[in-house]
Amino acid sequence: MAKTSLSRLFASLSEHSIAKPSFTGSRSESVTRSAYNSVTRFVCSSAQETQLIREERSNEGDREAAKENLESVNNEEDEGEDGDHVNKETGEVGGPKGPEPTRYGDWERNGRCSDF
Amino acid sequence: MAASIAYVGGHLQYGVNFCMGQSYKQAIWVPSVTFNGCLQRELSWSCGVSKFLQIRKCNLFQSRRNENWKSFGTVITSAYLRDGSTKYFDFAVIGSGVAGLRYALEVAKHGSVAIITKAEPHESNTNYAQGGVSAVLCPSDSVESHMQDTIVAGAYLCDEETVKVVCTEGPDRIRELIAMGASFDHGDDGNLHLAREGGHSHHRIVHAADMTGREIERALLEAVVNDPNISVFKHHFAIDLLTSQDGSDTVCHGIDALNTETQEVVRFISKVTLLASGGAGHIYPSTTNPLVATGDGMAMAHRAQAVISNMEFVQFHPTALADEGLPIKPKKTRENSFLITEAVRGDGGILYNLSMERFMPLYDERAELAPRDVVARSIDDQLKKRNEKYVLLDISHKPREKILSHFPNIANECLQHGLDITQQPIPVVPAAHYMCGGVRAGLQGETDVHGLYAAGEVACTGLHGANRLASNSLLEALVFARRAVQPSINHMKSSSLDLSASSLWTCPLVPKSLGSDVMHKILRITKEVRKELQSIMWKYVGIVRSTSRLQEAEQKIGKLEAKWETYLFEHGWQQTMVALEACEMRNLFCCAKLVVSSALARHESRGLHYMTDFPHLEESKRLPTVIFPSSHTTGTWSSRQLHQQPIVNSMV
């Protein structure tokens, strides 16, 4: 159970870590960093339900494992031209992975709403 | 209280239709005191510009006659004159969001363009618009349908002609963007992939994965940077428009700006000016807007005698992450709010107040699934009644893996601040998001000031009415930026740039003479005053309003403004002094007052404007709210242009 949820989490977090070329280079950097931070935390918190926050450990082993997981998940999900994701239901190329952003009327990505 | 509005010199006249030859009818006529153009002119112009110009003048005019003032791809230094702290351009654009950039790219084919932007060029509301742009691009869709959706969302306050123009021209504007290099998502059939957002009866939202605004901004900025006729002045804060009176008309000749990196004042003289400065989210404490959105354009336009419209319609989102409720507070105040999607409620999230009482069923039988406006009002009501800072949105009763897979962004953000959303409720508070009102602009983007155009969020074109339909804001910016192009070119061609014009307005002053101690005090006080203003706005001019609360807001804001200005002037601040924080503060005061006055003037509830003492729609009040310019003889520092108006009544 935990493993599937974690891999799905890695998958959606990995969208953020793939920095699209943009003017705000620093912004995508910090998202990548936070993605890895949270990966470490989730690896920890699944082992110990009661503890919410772990101190930042330079846990190289965890980070490497997380990286590998991310890459394998990416390879699984990438299809279509140029490695763009193709939505099986709608045929949308290069679109957001995961649930349809407009399914509840607003525009949401991973829980954050940016238009309504 | 201030100058600008209802209570200067008289009573509010109600329901008078004051036709100004436009399709817009005015709902509330606010008596304006006619502006006296002959003010004492301060002779503190110390830049020595005029002398320098007189010498140069002859040579320049000779070459100008031959040049025809056009520059097609040629080096533009011949077309714009740099002279100390004054720069001359054919077109000046204030703001570097989608409206400003789109306009600049077009008019640059006909003359020199200056884009004046207060921070980095990409720092705009556009950049944060991650949804999409709406347009009729599907054969089964229709302009009529898009129009209908817009008008319904706008609670029937939209200007129909404007809606028709925007919905009709939208598709072409999208195609142009694509031609410019913006890449939108496609279907595997090669056609644009269209999503369907709430309020739209067809799929018509064009988007670029999850960052449409950023993608559009990127494509436009790239084109701008590569255009030799466009000069971008970043970190230049626009202070006031430079205007003069020509009979009963106000004419715009350019803009004063402060280079916030070098602390130097730069004067831009331009034949045409476009206001594209965006919104004013920061009049509220919680907003999705980036820090630059302090209503600069609306304030400058109001001070320049332009007409402002529909400021009471402020769009809030009901559930933004409330930093106050997080166990570990963010180290520095979050610039712009993190909106929690409707999907959390859709997936079963429950709203509680801080006593863990579920309150939505008290307001609507649909509870958490009630329309967003209802939810926003309910939360606002709870917060006011209980005098609390936030409510709680609880999704922890749902399966952990579902929460993490659907909402990883929220989960991550909260976890970083000590909150596990699979175990605990999320603290949320409504956040200001979009200003439907602004500088009144006609179908060509023209304002009441000659030579001044407005496009994008800063403008009130009549498209949004009492409430904006999702994804229509980028569309509005694109359409009106384009429509303002030809009239601008025509105006530019019929104007002559008077090179001595620059000396007609007092130069803004950088407060070096005050010393750093005094400046620190002033900055500190200004910061506190800003927070206080935001607090008043949220408490008294929030989502649920009433006449008594609005009147109290008016009083409190008036007192606060007086207190702040007194402090400044007591410490040696002069009328013409400028500093970024002080200028932003005066703009925030100006916009806040515009919102309050407009809200007081609408005696009904419509769209985003809700009044407990007028809770229903009134057909007779289905008219825009209009604020006319105020007198400069009375009024505060925030309601007067920094410089004095020139004595001459007509420009040479």
Side-chain angles (χ1 to χ4, degrees):
Chain A
M1 268 300 220
K3 212 177 175 186
T4 18
S5 74
L6 280 176
S7 51
R8 231 180 288 148
L9 170 64
F10 293 158
S12 39
L13 283 174
S14 75
E15 296 157 48
H16 286 281
S17 54
I18 298 168
K20 286 214 175 181
S22 75
F23 259 86
T24 51
S26 54
R27 218 159 160 238
S28 33
E29 257 182 291
S30 61
V31 170
T32 314
R33 233 178 287 127
S34 67
Y36 280 124
N37 288 346
S38 57
V39 160
T40 320
R41 286 211 182 87
F42 276 116
V43 167
C44 297
S45 58
S46 63
Q48 284 187 285
E49 297 279 309
T50 48
Q51 201 162 350
L52 289 175
I53 298 294
R54 285 290 186 108
E55 280 168 88
E56 276 289 313
R57 318 184 268 179
S58 50
N59 195 330
E60 290 300 314
D62 274 349
R63 288 227 172 92
E64 281 308 306
K67 246 188 185 168
E68 276 170 21
N69 253 325
L70 278 165
E71 278 163 13
S72 63
V73 164
N74 281 344
N75 291 336
E76 278 170 30
E77 296 219 10
D78 278 351
E79 323 164 18
E81 322 105 45
D82 308 326
D84 273 336
H85 173 252
V86 179
N87 187 310
K88 292 189 179 75
E89 274 173 39
T90 63
E92 182 185 358
V93 174
K97 295 172 195 170
E100 167 57 38
T102 59
R103 67 194 185 285
Y104 282 106
D106 62 359
W107 193 280
E108 74 83 33
R109 288 300 298 131
N110 298 321
R112 185 167 191 173
C113 163
S114 55
D115 192 19
F116 53 94
Chain B
M1 187 171 123
S4 46
I5 325 157
Y7 309 106
V8 173
H11 54 281
L12 242 177
Q13 272 196 334
Y14 211 97
V16 172
N17 280 346
F18 192 75
C19 255
M20 301 252 292
Q22 293 182 10
S23 54
Y24 245 136
K25 293 201 197 100
Q26 280 95 43
I28 320 294
W29 180 66
V30 177
S32 65
V33 180
T34 41
F35 171 64
N36 181 358
C38 300
L39 287 175
Q40 290 285 336
R41 182 159 66 112
E42 273 183 23
L43 297 166
S44 54
W45 176 255
S46 54
C47 302
V49 169
S50 39
K51 272 193 194 151
F52 180 69
L53 282 173
Q54 270 155 24
I55 297 164
R56 285 287 208 109
K57 208 169 171 178
C58 327
N59 299 333
L60 195 75
F61 275 135
Q62 275 169 4
S63 55
R64 244 182 70 193
R65 227 166 273 143
N66 302 329
E67 264 185 66
N68 202 28
W69 208 248
K70 271 189 205 170
S71 47
F72 285 102
T74 53
V75 179
I76 59 165
T77 46
S78 56
Y80 101 76
L81 180 67
R82 198 216 146 102
D83 162 32
S85 57
T86 304
K87 301 187 197 298
Y88 300 83
F89 284 89
D90 294 314
F91 304 94
V93 176
I94 301 164
S96 55
V98 62
L101 299 181
R102 184 70 190 85
Y103 174 90
L105 286 167
E106 284 302 321
V107 296
K109 299 170 188 166
H110 298 268
S112 57
V113 185
I115 296 180
I116 299 157
T117 187
K118 66 194 271 193
E120 288 294 313
H122 58 266
E123 196 59 31
S124 62
N125 274 2
T126 298
N127 214 37
Y128 292 81
Q130 280 158 34
V133 193
S134 55
V136 176
L137 289 161
C138 178
S140 63
D141 194 3
S142 69
V143 168
E144 286 72 32
S145 169
H146 191 184
M147 282 179 65
Q148 184 63 17
D149 291 343
T150 302
I151 291 168
V152 166
Y156 298 91
L157 196 67
C158 312
D159 180 76
E160 278 205 38
E161 216 186 323
T162 305
V163 176
K164 186 170 188 189
V165 157
V166 172
C167 296
T168 306
E169 297 182 2
D172 279 341
R173 301 289 85 80
I174 305 287
R175 291 186 193 108
E176 277 160 16
L177 274 184
I178 294 170
M180 275 183 213
S183 64
F184 298 110
D185 289 0
H186 283 75
D188 50 13
D189 58 355
N191 291 323
L192 284 170
H193 178 263
L194 303 170
R196 183 175 155 180
E197 254 182 306
H200 289 272
S201 36
H202 278 264
H203 284 250
R204 61 172 74 102
I205 315 295
V206 166
H207 59 107
D210 61 350
M211 45 182 191
T212 307
R214 213 190 302 178
E215 172 57 19
I216 295 176
E217 181 81 10
R218 178 205 64 76
L220 292 176
L221 265 175
E222 203 177 302
V224 158
V225 158
N226 290 327
D227 192 317
N229 277 1
I230 302 178
S231 309
V232 179
F233 295 89
K234 53 185 188 174
H235 298 288
H236 279 62
F237 176 85
I239 301 164
D240 263 316
L241 297 167
L242 300 169
T243 54
S244 69
Q245 288 300 115
D246 185 8
S248 58
D249 292 331
T250 308
V251 185
C252 180
H253 302 281
I255 178 124
D256 273 340
L258 172 68
N259 182 333
T260 54
E261 285 181 322
T262 63
Q263 291 302 309
E264 282 169 347
V265 171
V266 184
R267 174 157 287 181
F268 292 88
I269 301 290
S270 58
K271 297 176 181 175
V272 177
T273 306
L274 176 81
L275 267 179
S277 48
H282 283 271
I283 57 175
Y284 289 100
S286 181
T287 175
T288 57
N289 294 179
L291 282 171
V292 293
T294 51
D296 304 330
M298 291 155 184
M300 285 193 291
H302 178 62
R303 289 193 291 262
Q305 314 287 287
V307 173
I308 308 292
S309 183
N310 284 355
M311 286 293 278
E312 67 271 38
F313 300 111
V314 181
Q315 191 174 46
F316 285 86
H317 187 277
T319 53
L321 185 62
D323 287 335
E324 300 100 335
L326 293 169
I328 304 173
K329 309 276 182 289
K331 288 194 193 82
K332 56 174 193 147
T333 323
R334 191 189 299 275
E335 266 193 30
N336 52 336
S337 293
F338 186 119
L339 296 183
I340 309 280
T341 176
E342 204 128 345
V344 172
R345 282 176 280 127
D347 276 3
I350 309 282
L351 283 164
Y352 296 101
N353 60 30
L354 292 183
S355 303
M356 289 312 284
E357 294 163 340
R358 187 180 179 185
F359 56 85
M360 277 313 300
L362 301 172
Y363 296 94
D364 194 292
E365 58 191 13
R366 293 164 289 192
E368 280 77 11
L369 297 180
R372 188 186 322 116
D373 299 351
V374 175
V375 175
R377 282 198 286 277
S378 310
I379 295 177
D380 192 62
D381 192 54
Q382 283 286 301
L383 294 176
K384 301 291 190 288
K385 280 201 168 81
R386 299 169 57 90
N387 199 22
E388 279 164 0
K389 296 249 165 95
Y390 55 88
V391 295
L392 301 167
L393 177 58
D394 195 3
I395 189 96
S396 64
H397 51 281
K398 288 289 163 182
R400 183 190 163 85
E401 57 172 65
K402 252 222 147 149
I403 301 173
L404 294 179
S405 75
H406 280 192
F407 313 122
N409 209 340
I410 309 176
N412 175 40
E413 186 65 30
C414 288
L415 204 58
Q416 290 199 339
H417 296 99
L419 193 103
D420 182 355
I421 67 172
T422 66
Q423 306 268 316
Q424 302 157 273
I426 310 165
V428 294
V429 68
H433 180 73
Y434 186 84
M435 306 289 296
C436 296
V439 184
R440 187 176 70 177
L443 287 173
Q444 312 297 323
E446 76 277 19
T447 68
D448 299 89
V449 175
H450 288 234
L452 181 70
Y453 296 81
E457 193 175 349
V458 71
C460 182
T461 60
L463 176 71
H464 305 306
N467 194 353
R468 179 188 65 93
L469 178 64
S471 297
N472 264 7
S473 52
L474 286 174
L475 177 67
E476 182 193 33
L478 285 168
V479 169
F480 278 92
R482 191 66 188 76
R483 284 182 74 87
V485 167
Q486 196 54 53
S488 296
I489 293 168
N490 296 343
H491 187 97
M492 187 272 288
K493 286 185 172 155
S494 66
S495 317
S496 57
L497 210 56
D498 179 1
L499 295 171
S500 67
S502 178
S503 60
L504 289 169
W505 301 274
T506 315
C507 200
L509 195 62
V510 173
K512 290 197 190 101
S513 59
L514 294 182
S516 61
D517 275 348
V518 171
M519 272 314 288
H520 274 125
K521 278 192 186 148
I522 286 177
L523 291 180
R524 190 176 43 84
I525 289 288
T526 302
K527 221 172 173 175
E528 285 169 22
V529 167
R530 183 193 279 222
K531 284 208 180 80
E532 181 62 32
L533 175 69
Q534 290 169 341
S535 172
I536 295 169
M537 286 302 287
W538 176 236
K539 202 168 172 189
Y540 299 95
V541 198
I543 301 169
V544 177
R545 300 164 175 171
S546 71
T547 305
S548 58
R549 282 191 103 97
L550 291 171
Q551 284 171 339
E552 209 169 332
E554 214 175 34
Q555 292 254 343
K556 285 182 166 345
I557 293 172
K559 285 202 180 102
L560 185 67
E561 188 183 11
K563 188 179 106 174
W564 177 66
E565 290 189 3
T566 305
Y567 188 92
L568 252 58
F569 293 120
E570 269 174 0
H571 283 76
W573 191 270
Q574 288 167 47
Q575 295 281 346
T576 52
M577 277 182 176
V578 289
L580 175 64
E581 298 80 0
C583 291
E584 281 186 336
M585 193 68 241
R586 74 195 267 262
N587 291 341
L588 289 168
F589 269 122
C590 188
C591 286
K593 290 186 293 185
L594 289 169
V595 172
V596 175
S597 307
S598 304
L600 274 167
R602 183 168 294 275
H603 293 196
E604 62 156 358
S605 289
R606 185 179 294 269
L608 297 166
H609 176 68
Y610 185 83
M611 293 280 269
T612 54
D613 37 356
F614 306 105
H616 306 293
L617 276 172
E618 296 279 332
E619 179 56 30
S620 61
K621 306 206 167 78
R622 191 168 64 86
L623 296 161
T625 306
V626 181
I627 294 181
F628 285 92
S630 60
S631 160
H632 280 201
T633 54
T634 61
T636 59
W637 187 58
S638 82
S639 56
R640 282 195 307 269
Q641 285 174 309
L642 216 72
H643 50 76
Q644 304 291 343
Q645 291 270 332
I647 292 171
V648 291
N649 279 336
S650 60
M651 290 303 297
V652 176

